[in-house]
Amino acid sequence: MSEIEQKKDLLLYLQQARDALLWKLEGLSEYDVRRPLTPTGTNLLGLVKHVTFVEVGYLCDTFGRPHDVPLGDPHEDAYATPDESRELIVERYRRSWSHTDASVHVLPLDTVGAVPWWPKERNEVTLHHVLVRVLGDTQRHAGHADILREGLDGAAGWREDNDSLPSHDPAWWQEYRDRLQRMAEQAAK
């Protein structure tokens, strides 16, 4: 497989993860996209803000590539402040894509960069390495968002155009969940 084909594949899967993550915000109130949904404060809009930092940091800053995405305080990347609208955070995330995708298109996969926040003795990485890292991180956070959204209103699935669920019937899911509960109880005896 050529390098162009490898990049195309990696960017396709990255874009699918990006789209899935943003889909999890659709139809929710400002409160629901911002409120902490786990004991560690994980929230939907914070996940989007975080992956914006991840993409720009790894795929632009690491390779000295320019971007115009205002990120703010890196210690505030896991939540939206009251003055940051959902639209602003989503727009910044979308804007980061053009810069990070440009880095991937312009640089060879074996280009070496230095991750600014890693210890100097181990901060050298290739574009391929960080692209796979960003893809994995974005998929991971899209999975988090899927579970958080399901807990909020029952909405679940991989993508809007392909939710990958075997059924949409609530009765089917209740029977499925009850069956799993019975199996768990049997195994625990």
Side-chain angles (χ1 to χ4, degrees), residues 55-164:
E55 282 207 26
V56 170
Y58 279 115
L59 295 170
C60 293
D61 297 342
T62 293
F63 299 96
R65 300 273 308 153
H67 67 82
D68 64 356
V69 182
L71 297 174
D73 186 340
H75 299 296
E76 293 181 350
D77 77 324
Y79 58 90
T81 63
D83 60 323
E84 292 176 308
S85 69
R86 174 195 326 217
E87 292 77 19
L88 174 70
I89 289 174
V90 169
E91 185 275 327
R92 283 180 182 166
Y93 186 39
R94 289 182 187 279
R95 188 179 343 158
S96 76
W97 302 349
S98 63
H99 297 291
T100 57
D101 288 1
S103 292
V104 174
H105 288 302
V106 170
L107 300 172
L109 288 173
D110 61 357
T111 301
V112 175
V115 180
W117 57 93
W118 287 7
K120 191 169 181 68
E121 64 275 4
R122 61 178 184 86
N123 71 348
E124 285 193 359
V125 292
T126 64
L127 175 62
H128 183 262
H129 174 91
V130 294
L131 181 54
V132 170
R133 178 181 285 269
V134 168
L135 172 58
D137 197 56
T138 306
Q139 289 284 10
R140 178 173 165 251
H141 291 314
H144 293 144
D146 193 34
I147 292 167
L148 295 177
R149 179 66 187 258
E150 184 177 358
L152 283 171
D153 65 2
W158 182 41
R159 294 192 329 246
E160 186 173 19
D161 64 334
N162 176 8
D163 64 20
S164 71

